[in-house]
Structure formats: structure tokens, C-alpha cells
Amino acid sequence: MRADARRNYDHLVATARAVFAEEGPQASLNEVARRAKVGPGTLYRHFPTRQALLVAVFRERIERLCALAEQSGSAPAGEALTGWLRALLVHAQTDGGLAAGMADDPGFDCHARLIGAATGLLDRAGQAGAVRDGVEVEDLFQLVTGIAMTAPKDRGERLLMLALEGVLADGPRRPGPSRA
Amino acid sequence: MRADARRNYDHLVATARAVFAEEGPQASLNEVARRAKVGPGTLYRHFPTRQALLVAVFRERIERLCALAEQSGSAPAGEALTGWLRALLVHAQTDGGLAAGMADDPGFDCHARLIGAATGLLDRAGQAGAVRDGVEVEDLFQLVTGIAMTAPKDRGERLLMLALEGVLADGPRRPGPSRA
DNA sequence: CTCATATACGGAGAGGCTCTCCGGTTGTCT
DNA sequence: AGACAACCGGAGAGCCTCTCCGTATATGAG
């Protein structure tokens, strides 16, 4: 990769981060190019799709989340899982586009990495008996991203807790979500 | 309202219903006008915003949901609530746009009507002790619409049940989502 | 240092979308 | 029938996405 290309690439990512933060994930890519003082062609050559740009922008944060999952080996399994899911929620809320991205394209690199991180935590929690039987990683992701997309920011955490602890109150738990 | 205006209005709603069903809620409004053999001006005069058109399209179904809520007075409170939420989920999945609509504009007519319908069910379930303390109507809506937006259609029901019954398995329930 | 060449850049432009405006048309009421 | 209000259509402004290609530049070889 040529030096000027690298420069443009980095500058575009930084600019896009700012623009997405201001205007949300559906912000105009033209605007990104304009602010980065770069032609549209340059932007689209580096990032053929909006997704590609989104991923580049959030990659760092995603990796931090993965690292967080690995570090939380000391905490009790259940708390480690819920704590991480809360971090994931905050992330998905901040970078609304990522939630959409994860939902849109299941065969995604960043999606796979997050799934991997979550799998470890869920397995551990499962072995500790802290999680209802039959819960899958995808369940957790879809709940978190769904909450991030529709709920106002200040209600996200409340909703996550509700989903984790359950809405219904019918005493002893049934074996699992058997209707699925 | 003049007769030709009424004709155009109805025809636009019918066309829009078909187009939205085919291409999702972000379908081109131009396309709707074109298929309805009507100028763009006509469409935008009748429906100033995309929301307005979406609401017109789904109004019938929304009213059916409200009626359903009122009819289910005979069933046990808990089952009535979960059954209705399932119907709401199916609806939100089918008419993806509605989910977005409900999330986008809180001061909405159709939103208010659904909230009203749900409030009745939730109150009854609350009095019967079938619902965890502190659960609000908005919680339920945001969970359902979130699930509808992000989860694949065939996993929606599974996720709703999971959210209602809870992901965690830590025996006796805590008093409520106190962290909120 | 110079040159050749692959590599990358910029921006014009095609095609589509949203939304507005207004001259012409068509219901409706007397 | 005639007049007036209501309504329609579509041209067009402004924006967006994405492509294409002539031009400029970084870089390795000589």
C-alpha cells in the first residue's frame, strides 16, 4: 500500500468516525469525503460499501470488547456475562450503525469476532448454571442489538436487565424456551 | 374531500401496501407513485411524510390488534398478555416499517392506540401477579419492536419468549429491575 | 538523481430519490 | 351551463450513491 493511500485511508476513517457520531450511521458518504477533502472516488475505492467503512471505524472498539471478554476470567461467570453484555449494549448504542451492520450481514468479520468473545462467556456461565438452558449466543446478540436500535439511550440498560431477568414472574422456572 | 381525491387516496394506500410488502418500509415513494399511475405531487399532498403513508397502510391492522386486546378478557391475564405480544411481534415483523415508525415518533396516533391496548393487558396481568414488579408498557413495546427489527423472522418468537421468561437462571426472583 | 511504471487521486456525470411549485384540469354547487 | 374551488401532473432543484477515466504522484530500478 502506497504511503499516500495509507494516509488517505486513515484520514477517512477518522473523519467518518466524527461524521457518524454526529449524524448517525446513515450519514452521507459524500459528506465524509467532502470533509476529508477527498474525492468520492477515493472514498469508494477504499471502502466499497458503507459497511466496510463502518467496520473500519469501529474495529478498534470491537477489539477492545473482545479483550474485555477475555480479561473477565476472574469474575463469577454470571456477572462476567451480564457485565459484558452491558458493555456491548453501550457500544451498540453509541455506534448505532454497528448494530445495523451486525444484523444486516451475518457472515461478517466483526460479527464473528464478537460472537467468539460472547461464546466463551456464555459457555462459562452455562457450566456455572447461571444461564437458562437452551440460550444461544445469537439470542443474546439479537436482544442487545434490538434494544440498542429501538430503545432510547437512557432506557437501554433497564431493558437489557429486564430481558435477562425476565418479564414474567411465574415462580419456578420452566426448563427452557421450549416453544422455539 | 372530492371524489377523485378519495379515489387517489385509496388507490395510493393499496399500492403502497403492495410495494412496502415487496421492498420493505424504505421503498422508494417515487415507485409507489409510479405504480399507482399518479404524479409525485399527488402522493406527497396526501401523505406529507413517509410516516403518514405507513400509518395509512397499517391502520387497519393496528385496529385489529386493539380489538384483539379487548376481546381477550376471558383468558388468564398472563396468557392474554403474552399472546397479544406475540401477535404484536408478528405484526411488527410483517410490517417492518411500523416498528421503525413506533420507534421514530413517540407522539404518534397509532403508537398511542397500541400503547392503550397494551396498558389494559399489562394492568390486568400486574394485578394477577403474573408480571414482575416495575414492568412498564414501554418496556414491552421496545422489546418487541427491537426483536422485530433485528432478529430473523423465524427467531422472533423464540426471542420474545426468552425475554419474557428471562435469560438468567438465578433461582428466586429479585424484586425488580432496580438498577433502572 | 532520473526515469518508468504501477498505483492512487479527483471530480465530472449518470441515474435515482425526495420534495416543491404552479399551470392546467376536473369535480361540484348554484 | 358557468364559475369557483379543489385537485392533478410533472418539471425541476438539490442531494445522494457509485463509476469511470484522464491526470498526478510515489517508488524501485538503473
Side-chain angles (χ1 to χ4, degrees), chain A:
Chain A
M1 194 175 202
R2 239 167 64 173
D4 55 346
R6 166 101 256 151
R7 245 198 321 277
N8 271 329
Y9 182 100
D10 291 341
H11 188 206
L12 276 169
V13 171
T15 308
R17 176 171 292 129
V19 172
F20 285 142
E22 282 177 30
E23 309 182 18
Q26 76 293 356
S28 159
L29 298 189
N30 245 10
E31 170 74 12
V32 173
R34 229 176 291 137
R35 278 215 226 172
K37 291 184 168 48
V38 147
T42 300
L43 188 154
Y44 282 96
R45 192 164 351 90
H46 283 301
F47 308 101
T49 68
R50 180 180 294 268
Q51 274 306 320
L53 182 54
L54 248 7
V55 171
V57 165
F58 300 140
R59 172 158 288 162
E60 184 189 331
R61 245 176 292 205
I62 288 171
E63 294 187 347
R64 208 177 309 156
L65 274 171
C66 292
L68 185 66
E70 288 166 15
Q71 285 162 17
S72 64
S74 56
E79 290 175 24
L81 179 63
T82 65
W84 190 80
L85 288 177
R86 275 153 92 154
L88 177 64
L89 174 66
V90 169
H91 169 70
Q93 283 180 322
T94 309
D95 305 336
L98 184 68
M102 293 195 297
D104 284 343
D105 187 343
F108 223 10
D109 179 45
C110 74
H111 183 252
R113 298 206 51 176
L114 288 173
I115 286 283
T119 301
L121 289 169
L122 179 60
D123 284 352
R124 200 154 69 82
Q127 281 162 18
V131 162
R132 174 190 291 271
D133 281 352
V135 172
E136 299 170 4
V137 188
E138 282 79 9
D139 296 330
L140 302 179
F141 266 84
Q142 286 159 8
L143 282 175
V144 169
T145 57
I147 289 171
M149 286 187 76
T150 57
K153 275 206 173 43
D154 58 331
R155 304 200 80 223
E157 187 145 335
R158 171 189 170 85
L159 280 165
L160 177 58
M161 285 308 153
L162 201 54
L164 293 182
E165 298 182 353
V167 170
L168 304 178
D170 51 345
R173 298 305 187 91
R174 302 185 217 145
S178 50
R179 295 164 185 81

Side-chain angles (χ1 to χ4, degrees), chain A residues 162 165-167 169, chain B residues 131-135 172-179:
Chain A
L162 201 54
E165 298 182 353
V167 170
Chain B
V131 162
R132 173 189 292 271
D133 280 352
V135 173
R173 298 304 187 90
R174 302 184 216 147
S178 51
R179 296 165 185 80

Side-chain angles (χ1 to χ4, degrees), chain B residues 34-54:
Chain B
R34 228 176 292 137
R35 279 214 225 172
K37 291 186 170 43
V38 146
T42 300
L43 188 154
Y44 282 97
R45 191 163 352 91
H46 283 301
F47 308 101
T49 67
R50 180 181 295 268
Q51 274 307 317
L53 182 54
L54 248 7

Side-chain angles (χ1 to χ4, degrees), chain B residues 61-78:
Chain B
R61 245 177 291 207
I62 288 171
E63 294 185 347
R64 208 177 308 157
L65 274 173
C66 292
L68 184 67
E70 287 164 15
Q71 286 162 16
S72 64
S74 57

